[in-house]
């Protein structure tokens, strides 16, 4: 097929760092088949690099229409929506992805960040709590929850988060030092 030839040629050019050639070839592929989700996604990436985020998002929306459960396309689209300040759309995408892929840590983190961007800190904490049920207590989650509780002026819960990771890792002096630093900072405020 003619399309396949140009598409693989475009991927090859992209892999070799010949981006102008790859872009032209992907555009030609789009002319041959304007509904191919892979081409739409690739072109979206190029337009994003060219800082045409709106056009990149529109192409990715079309790719998601063609392949609605594609993890990669949806994660990219959620990121574009966040960049375009369309927070609710990003939250909807991440929630949908979480239903499809409840094991993927990055979806939980992206959803928590989107809720944070939207000013819904309680929901961000709830998402991180759900993630802890899946993967257990982890430093990244704990630090994010600490930050969110601090933003909500709920200092006791914030410090409880740090103490929970100390209980899990009692031999890690770094966490003890972190807690000490946080208590010192708190007393200085």
């Amino acid at each position: 097929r003619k399309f396949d030839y140009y598409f693989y040629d475009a991927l090859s050019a992209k892999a070799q760092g010949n981006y102008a050639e790859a872009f032209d070839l992907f555009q030609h592929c789009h002319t041959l088949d304007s509904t191919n989700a892979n081409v739409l996604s690739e072109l979206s990436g190029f337009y994003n690099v060219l800082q045409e985020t709106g056009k990149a998002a529109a192409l990715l929306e079309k790719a998601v229409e063609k392949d609605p459960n594609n993890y990669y396309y949806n994660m990219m689209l959620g990121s574009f929506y966040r960049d375009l300040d369309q927070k609710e759309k990003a939250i909807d995408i991440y929630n949908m992805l979480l239903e499809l892929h409840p094991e993927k840590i990055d979806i939980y983190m992206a959803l928590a960040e989107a809720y944070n961007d939207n000013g819904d800190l309680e929901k961000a904490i709830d998402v991180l709590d759900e993630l802890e049920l899946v993967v257990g207590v982890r430093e990244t989650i704990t630090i994010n929850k600490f930050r969110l509780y601090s933003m909500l002026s709920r200092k006791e819960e914030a410090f409880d988060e740090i103490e929970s990771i100390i209980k899990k890792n009692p031999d890690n002096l770094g966490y003890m030092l972190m807690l000490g630093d946080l208590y010192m900072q708190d007393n200085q405020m």
Side-chain angles (χ1 to χ4, degrees), residues 9-167:
D9 217 20
L11 289 175
S12 176
K14 180 180 170 188
Q16 293 172 15
N18 300 327
Y19 300 114
E21 179 185 351
F23 183 65
D24 289 342
L25 288 166
F26 283 126
Q27 286 183 312
H28 185 69
C29 289
H30 187 256
T31 303
L32 295 173
D33 182 358
S34 63
T35 64
N36 185 286
N38 290 319
V39 171
L40 293 167
S41 171
E42 290 291 342
L43 284 173
S44 173
F46 278 98
Y47 282 110
N48 187 44
V49 169
L50 296 170
Q51 297 183 351
E52 294 186 40
T53 312
K55 190 168 189 170
L59 286 165
L60 208 48
E61 285 171 343
K62 290 178 183 177
V64 167
E65 283 176 25
K66 298 298 173 194
D67 191 357
N69 295 331
N70 185 293
Y71 169 78
Y72 174 73
Y73 299 163
N74 277 291
M75 285 298 286
M76 283 182 45
L77 187 56
S79 179
F80 281 137
Y81 283 150
R82 287 180 63 204
D83 291 345
L84 294 169
D85 205 29
Q86 297 179 14
K87 299 166 189 156
E88 290 298 327
K89 285 184 175 182
I91 289 169
D92 291 343
I93 284 176
Y94 296 138
N95 274 314
M96 181 273 300
L97 278 175
L98 201 53
E99 288 179 26
L100 294 172
H101 306 282
E103 75 287 354
K104 294 218 179 254
I105 294 170
D106 53 338
I107 300 171
Y108 289 92
M109 297 303 287
L111 180 58
E113 289 171 11
Y115 278 128
N116 183 25
D117 292 346
N118 204 29
D120 199 340
L121 305 183
E122 293 287 346
K123 284 189 178 177
I125 292 169
D126 291 344
V127 169
L128 294 174
D129 285 340
E130 285 179 49
L131 177 56
E132 277 185 334
L133 294 175
V134 174
V135 299
V137 175
R138 297 219 178 144
E139 181 178 359
T140 305
I141 302 167
T142 299
I143 298 301
N144 278 308
K145 287 173 62 178
F146 170 82
R147 183 181 51 80
L148 292 165
Y149 280 127
S150 296
M151 291 168 67
L152 289 167
S153 299
R154 291 166 47 185
K155 290 181 183 181
E156 188 172 317
E157 289 164 291
F159 287 113
D160 287 348
E161 287 300 323
I162 301 298
E163 289 169 359
S164 74
I165 202 162
I166 290 172
K167 286 178 188 169

